[in-house]
Structures are given as C-alpha cells and as structure tokens.
Amino acid sequence: MTTLLLARHGLTPLTGPVLAGWTPDVHLSEAGQAQAEALAVRLASLELDAIVSSPLERCQETAQAIAGGRATEVLTDERFGECHYGDWTGRPIAELAKDPLWPVVQAHPSAVTFPGGESLSAVQHRAVAAVREWNERLGPKAVYLVCSHGDVIKAIVADAMGLHLDQFQRITADPASLTAIRYTPLRPFVLRLNDLGGDVAALRPAEGSESDDGGENLTGSDAAVGGGSGTT
C-alpha cells in the first residue's frame, strides 16, 4: 500500500491574479515561505521515503523546506511540473476569463489544448504515469511526498477517484495544502484532500498491520459496512 502525499507549493507574488505556468524565477513570497515552513513542521514527525518535486522554483523551495533536517534529498521529476499554458502563460486571470476558451477550461477541460501549449489530458497522463513509476520504484510500504501544482494535483486526484477529467474542476488544491492517496492492488483510496491542518501520524500504517484506520486492507477492499472506521 504505497502512500503518496501531494503538497502544493506555497504562495508566490503571482498566485491568484496571474497564471504563472512555467514563467521562470517565480519564487515563494514571504507568506508562501511561512506556509512551506509550517507544512514542514506538520510533517516533521512523519518518515518520508522520498521527496520529489516539480522543477519550478516555487515547488523546489517548498520541497526544500520540507526536506530540511531530514537525510532525504529533494529529487526532481519534470512530469510533476506545471501545465504548459503556452500563450496564456504570465497573463492576468481577469483577462483570461474573457477568452472564449475559458468556459471550456471550466466545463470541459478534457477537450482543452492551450494555444501554443499543452493539453490538460496530456498533463494528467504524464503526472499519473510518474506516480505509478514512483510507486513501483519505492515499493508497497513507502510513504513519499510530491510537491507540485494545483492543476497537476487535481488531475492526479481525479484519476485516483475514478473521475473523468471533466470533473477535476470540482477538486481544490490550495497553496501549501496536503492531499494523501493510498495505492492498493485493487484501487487507490483518497485519505485526505486539500488538508490545511491536523496530525499526520496516521498516514503511515502501523508496521505489520493488515489494515489501516481508513478501513481498507491489503487487497484494497472497503470496510464491511460504511466507508471505513476512521478515527476522525
């Protein structure tokens, strides 16, 4: 049961008003650095088998904050990088909202290829493929963290939940939020989504246990009744 933790990078000066995309030299703001450090404190007690990051500075800085004080180095995987928004990169969101493509992005994202850029379907394909490869590489007992971007995280979650990509706009991934997915032989289980606080100890199953506090066992089946016996 490999457990994937997805962390979105902290705030930057462009987060919200501008579609940063692959704009170079977009660093964490002071508030974003504080968010990254707070997330690092939350995760300090949780052993991580790997920390993987998008190559973009805002993710690298968030991942480095989490890695601080650990023996684990930050590894980079471009497949967790932001969507290539092409001609939309660096433009104000208020301006993009008037573009005829904007309603399609919101309602039918699987049909969208950004002008001069990448399709959202391609983003999901590369990100999910990367997750599957890291799961295989690290093994079934691993708990590892990937620091990435909002749309990438939403695409991975949509796949884990068996949702069509057109539903991924119903998912939220706030800056410095934590999302946890456990991959079992049967199917993935989303343990946390857009989590901004709380204890993380239960995200690593007890050694030798055949089930975790979410109710799924080694085969990935649900608890006999209801959605699981969770502690919260």
Side-chain angles (χ1 to χ4, degrees), residues 121-135:
S121 294
V123 173
Q124 184 181 53
H125 178 78
R126 63 169 163 86
V128 170
V131 167
R132 297 293 182 177
E133 283 188 25
W134 281 102
N135 288 355

Side-chain angles (χ1 to χ4, degrees), residues 100-157:
L101 187 60
W102 183 266
V104 186
V105 173
Q106 303 307 313
H108 194 25
S110 67
V112 170
T113 298
F114 292 97
E118 188 177 21
S119 72
L120 286 168
S121 294
V123 173
Q124 184 181 53
H125 178 78
R126 63 169 163 86
V128 170
V131 167
R132 297 293 182 177
E133 283 188 25
W134 281 102
N135 288 355
E136 183 68 23
R137 183 186 308 185
L138 296 171
K141 293 185 177 181
V143 176
Y144 72 105
L145 181 138
V146 169
C147 188
S148 190
H149 307 267
D151 281 348
V152 179
I153 291 171
K154 289 159 59 178
I156 293 171
V157 171

